[in-house]
């Protein structure tokens, strides 16, 4: 029987199940996991437990390894890249006069892709913006328009009910 562990990639993100691969993991441990988009960095959110009957039919990805000091250094560099990409993109949005509110930037673990999250009232033609970003960062660029509820969830905060924002 397989042992599964719950991994969370973002602070307020969903918990995904991965095969534990025999690693001794605890809550909060940083790990490198296999995903459809390549390797990803996350934290253990649910300790290892035996797979239940609901997991029998599903094909789960695996925990590749606990994160090393090199991985943590790479994550710090990715955060720096995200901050500089965010600042550059906001400047370009102002220059182009685009009606969008950029609020978050994410860099893939292997630095192969930058994803920019924004909100807008309607559709936005951001082709010129993407060209400027590709020219600057020389990597794959993804622009993702989300609703304001998703923005609240990604940014975090406390709702009127006193709990952490879930939407």
């Amino acid at each position: 029987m397989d042992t599964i562990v719950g991994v969370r990639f973002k602070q307020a993100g969903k918990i995904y199940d991965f095969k534990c691969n025999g690693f001794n993991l605890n809550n909060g441990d940083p790990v490198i996991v296999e995903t459809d988009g390549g390797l990803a960095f996350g934290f253990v959110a649910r300790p290892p437990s035996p797979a239940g009957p609901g997991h029998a039919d599903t094909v789960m990805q695996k925990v590749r390894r606990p994160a090393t000091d090199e991985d943590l250094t790479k994550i710090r560099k990715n955060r720096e890249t995200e901050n500089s990409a965010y600042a550059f993109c906001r400047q370009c949005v102002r220059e182009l006069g685009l009606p969008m509110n950029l609020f978050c930037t994410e860099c893939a673990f292997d630095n192969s892709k930058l994803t920019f999250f924004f909100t807008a009232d309607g559709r936005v033609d951001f082709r010129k913006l993407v060209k400027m970003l590709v020219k600057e960062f020389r990597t794959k660029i993804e622009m993702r328009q989300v609703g304001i509820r998703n923005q609240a969830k990604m940014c975090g905060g406390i709702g009127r009910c006193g709990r952490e924002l879930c939407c």
Side-chain angles (χ1 to χ4, degrees):
M1 180 177 270
D2 289 329
T3 303
I4 60 168
V5 63
V7 176
R8 179 177 284 156
F9 299 106
K10 299 176 188 176
Q11 185 176 356
K14 184 178 173 184
I15 297 174
Y16 296 92
D17 290 332
F18 290 87
K19 287 184 183 176
C20 195
N21 268 357
F23 293 114
N24 186 18
L25 301 171
N26 298 311
N27 274 352
D29 286 352
V31 291
I32 305 298
V33 296
E34 298 174 6
T35 65
D36 293 336
L39 295 181
F41 175 82
F43 290 96
V44 174
R46 201 171 45 236
S49 61
H55 293 99
D57 298 338
T58 60
V59 177
M60 281 189 280
Q61 302 283 15
K62 301 175 184 176
V63 172
R64 177 69 68 91
R65 65 179 186 274
T68 63
D69 290 337
E70 292 174 12
D71 295 328
L72 297 176
T73 302
K74 191 174 190 177
I75 289 299
R76 267 187 244 107
K77 288 180 181 176
N78 286 354
R79 297 296 174 253
E80 291 172 10
T81 302
E82 288 173 358
N83 291 336
S84 64
Y86 177 80
F88 181 78
C89 187
R90 285 201 55 117
Q91 176 187 348
C92 292
V93 166
R94 265 187 248 114
E95 287 176 13
L96 295 171
L98 296 174
M100 60 194 288
N101 175 27
L102 182 73
F103 67 89
C104 183
T105 304
E106 288 182 1
C107 183
F109 179 70
D110 59 357
N111 245 349
S112 63
K113 178 173 73 168
L114 278 170
T115 306
F116 295 88
F117 294 90
F118 68 95
T119 59
D121 289 336
R123 293 181 63 94
V124 178
D125 183 9
F126 47 74
R127 290 177 289 189
K128 289 180 185 176
L129 176 62
V130 170
K131 287 179 185 177
M132 294 169 78
L133 294 170
V134 168
K135 185 177 179 183
E136 178 72 19
F137 296 105
R138 304 236 181 257
T139 188
K140 182 179 178 183
I141 301 294
E142 183 176 328
M143 302 296 291
R144 185 149 317 157
Q145 183 173 357
V146 298
I148 55 173
R149 298 187 91 170
N150 290 341
Q151 178 186 7
K153 180 180 178 182
M154 292 173 77
C155 293
I158 305 296
R160 291 189 311 191
C161 60
R163 295 192 218 159
E164 188 174 315
L165 287 175
C166 59
C167 60

